[in-house]
Amino acid sequence: MNVEELIEKINHFRDERDWRQYHQPKDLAISVCLEASELLENFQWLSDEEAIEKNKENIRQELADVLIYSLMLASDLNLDVHEIIDSKMKLNAIKYPVDKSKGSRDKYTEL
C-alpha cells in the first residue's frame, strides 16, 4: 500500500464515522503533539532497551496515532507527503552537509 492509498483508507475510516467535523487543522496538530507525548511516555525513566522490551506494543499503537493524525493533517491541507518530505530532506542536506555533520550531534548552527 502506498502513502496515497493509506491516506485514503484513513480518511475513509474517519468519514464513515463523520469525524471530519472535529478534525480542524489546529485540532489535528494538537492531537499529533498529544499522541507524541503518549509515545514519549513509554520511554520515561527507562533505557531504550527496557522501554522497547516492556512497551513495544504500546509504542506501536502510539506511533500509529502520531502517523495517522499527521497524514490526516497533510491530506486536509492538500500537502503532498512525498513532496514535503523530499523538500525537507533537501533542506536538511544543505543544513547538515556530510563533511561537517557525519558522526556529530551538533545542531546546524554549531557546525
Side-chain angles (χ1 to χ4, degrees), residues 30-48:
I30 289 169
S31 295
V32 169
C33 291
L34 293 172
E35 296 299 341
S37 295
E38 291 178 14
L39 172 62
L40 186 57
E41 192 173 28
N42 287 284
F43 293 91
Q44 188 176 25
W45 313 122
L46 302 172
S47 69
D48 288 347

Side-chain angles (χ1 to χ4, degrees), residues 15 24 29 32 36 41 46 54 70 76 79 84 108:
D15 292 342
Q24 301 305 310
V32 169
E41 192 173 28
L46 302 172
K54 181 179 175 185
S70 296
D76 288 358
L79 299 174
I84 64 174
Y108 69 94

Side-chain angles (χ1 to χ4, degrees), residues 51-52 62-64 72 107-109:
I52 293 166
E62 298 304 339
L63 181 56
M72 279 194 288
K107 188 173 179 175
Y108 69 94
T109 55

Side-chain angles (χ1 to χ4, degrees), residues 38-109:
E38 291 178 14
L39 172 62
L40 186 57
E41 192 173 28
N42 287 284
F43 293 91
Q44 188 176 25
W45 313 122
L46 302 172
S47 69
D48 288 347
E49 295 80 17
E50 291 171 322
I52 293 166
E53 182 181 325
K54 181 179 175 185
N55 301 317
K56 183 129 186 202
E57 180 56 31
N58 200 50
I59 291 168
R60 283 181 74 248
Q61 297 296 321
E62 298 304 339
L63 181 56
D65 287 339
V66 170
L67 293 168
I68 289 167
Y69 283 123
S70 296
L71 291 172
M72 279 194 288
L73 180 58
S75 174
D76 288 358
L77 296 177
N78 294 314
L79 299 174
D80 181 310
V81 174
H82 297 286
E83 189 280 322
I84 64 174
I85 290 173
D86 186 55
S87 175
K88 183 63 176 178
M89 294 300 296
K90 287 176 183 172
L91 179 61
N92 285 346
I94 293 167
K95 289 165 69 172
Y96 296 97
V98 173
D99 63 322
K100 291 183 179 179
S101 62
K102 187 171 185 174
S104 173
R105 63 178 172 214
D106 291 342
K107 188 173 179 175
Y108 69 94
T109 55

